[in-house]
Every structure is written in structure tokens, then in C-alpha cells.
């Protein structure tokens, strides 16, 4: 049910500094930026120049609060790779299929992710130490 690697998420202490680092060193462009209060993050999606927006992106995640998922990750592990996100066409069906196989999903119901996507997560301890996100893009999503 995975249709693509949607994005790889990196926890950063300072979003603007991280955007500038990726621009200056790797030439990546900001495709989208938003604040997600529920997740406690300010985030940016970065893409390689000239790509249409359907390719794998890099998600920079900065905490809004110390007790958020990213805030805790930074204090425990420091900046670095925090998640791998698979694109799926139906997040509810994908979550149900994984639960059926005995994996713990973090949410009972999918929550709102970037650009009105719907997201859920597999517990990292059930996925080889990797926080795996499932992301169903919004139906009317236009490429970034
Ligand atoms: C924690 N652990 C991880 C991990 N975070 N392992 C791999 N990758 C990570 N990102 C390990 C941790 O070291 C512990 O291992 C164990 O899992 C349990 O951790 P914990 O300290 O008890 O739990 P917390 O409080 O750190 O919570 C971890 C989880 C939390 C994964 C439950 O981060 C969470 O709810 N994440 C989902 C939401 C999220 O990440 N939101 C921010 C991105 P040991 O020490 O016991 O061995 S928002 C987003 O992605 C959006 C909006 C989007 O994509 O659209």
C-alpha cells in the first residue's frame, strides 16, 4: 500500500537556520511552510530545485514547545533524522492492515498533517527503531 517515500523528517532546533543551511549547502528550496499547533511544530518542506513536488521531500521540524514530540526528541537525541514517511492512498486502511499484523499505531484515528494530509505513525519500537509515518495527501492537493 506504500506508493512512495513521501518525506524524511529532521528535527532541528531553529527552523530558519536549518532552511538556510539546506539552501546554502544543498540548494534545496522551500516548497511549503506551516505551523501545526496540535503536533507542536513549525515545519518546512524542502525540495530539490525544478522538481514538481511529487518527489520525496525533506521535512524540517522545529518544536513550538519543549514537551512536544520534537522538543523531547531534541533533548534526548539532539538534532537529526526523526522520521520516515511513507505515502499511502488510504491511511485508515493502511493503519488497520498494520494493526492486524500486530504493529502499534500511535493514534486511534488519523490526525491532520502537513498541507491537510491525514497522518498516523507506527511506534518506532515496532518498526526497527524507526518512527514510520503514514501520510495520505489531501485529495485536492496540488504539488508544492
Ligand atoms: C522516540 N523513540 C524513537 C523516536 N522517538 N525512536 C526512533 N525515532 C524516534 N523519532 C524511542 C525512544 O528513544 C525510546 O526508546 C522509545 O522510542 C519510547 O520513547 P519515549 O521517550 O518513551 O517516548 P516519547 O515521549 O519520546 O515519544 C515517542 C513518540 C512520539 C514516537 C511516541 O515522538 C510521538 O508521538 N511521535 C509522533 C508524532 C510526531 O513525531 N510529531 C512531530 C512530527 P528507549 O529509550 O525506550 O529505548 S509532526 C509531522 O510529522 C507532520 C505534521 C507531518 O509529517 O505532516
Amino acid at each position: 500500500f506504500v506508493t512512495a517515500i513521501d518525506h524524511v523528517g529532521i528535527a532541528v532546533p531553529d527552523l530558519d537556520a536549518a532552511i538556510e543551511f539546506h539552501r546554502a549547502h544543498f540548494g534545496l528550496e522551500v516548497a511549503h511552510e506551516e505551523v501545526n499547533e496540535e503536533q507542536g511544530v513549525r515545519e518546512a518542506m524542502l525540495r530539490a530545485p525544478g522538481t514538481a513536488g511529487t518527489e520525496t521531500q525533506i521535512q524540517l521540524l522545529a518544536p513550538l514547545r519543549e514537551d512536544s514530540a520534537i522538543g523531547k526528541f531534541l533533548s534526548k537525541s539532539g538534532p537529526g533524522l526523526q522520521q520516515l514517511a511513507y505515502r499511502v492512498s488510504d491511511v485508515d486502511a493502511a493503519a488497520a492492515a498494520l494493526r492486524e499484523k500486530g504493529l502499534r499505531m500511535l493514534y486511534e484515528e488519523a490526525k491532520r498533517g502537513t498541507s491537510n494530509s491525514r497522518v498516523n505513525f507506527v511506534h518506532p519500537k515496532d518498526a526497527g527503531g524507526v518512527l514510520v509515518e503514514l501520510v495520505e495527501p489531501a485529495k485536492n492537493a496540488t504539488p508544492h
Side-chain angles (χ1 to χ4, degrees), residues 7 36 39 41 43 59 61 69-70 72-73 76 82-83 106-107 113-114 117 119 121 123-125 129-131 133:
H7 63 267
N36 185 324
Q39 291 291 340
V41 292
E43 51 121 327
Q59 183 179 46
L61 296 154
I70 298 301
K72 286 194 214 162
F73 183 90
K76 193 168 177 187
Q82 190 259 349
Q83 58 169 266
L106 294 183
Y107 306 139
T114 191
S117 57
V119 302
F121 294 84
H123 194 288
K125 292 294 175 191
V130 178
L131 176 61
E133 178 181 326

Side-chain angles (χ1 to χ4, degrees), residues 15-89:
L15 190 68
D16 296 321
I19 289 171
E20 176 52 22
F21 175 85
H22 284 81
R23 187 199 63 73
H25 296 86
F26 304 120
L28 300 187
E29 298 172 344
V30 175
H32 177 74
E33 222 181 297
E34 74 177 68
V35 170
N36 185 324
E37 286 287 346
E38 184 183 28
Q39 291 291 340
V41 292
R42 203 180 139 218
E43 51 121 327
M45 300 298 283
L46 305 186
R47 65 177 173 209
T51 56
T54 53
E55 293 83 356
T56 307
Q57 299 191 335
I58 297 298
Q59 183 179 46
L60 301 177
L61 296 154
L64 294 178
R65 306 179 285 274
E66 269 181 34
D67 66 349
S68 62
I70 298 301
K72 286 194 214 162
F73 183 90
L74 284 173
S75 45
K76 193 168 177 187
S77 311
L81 290 181
Q82 190 259 349
Q83 58 169 266
L84 166 65
Y86 290 130
R87 195 177 303 156
V88 297
S89 48

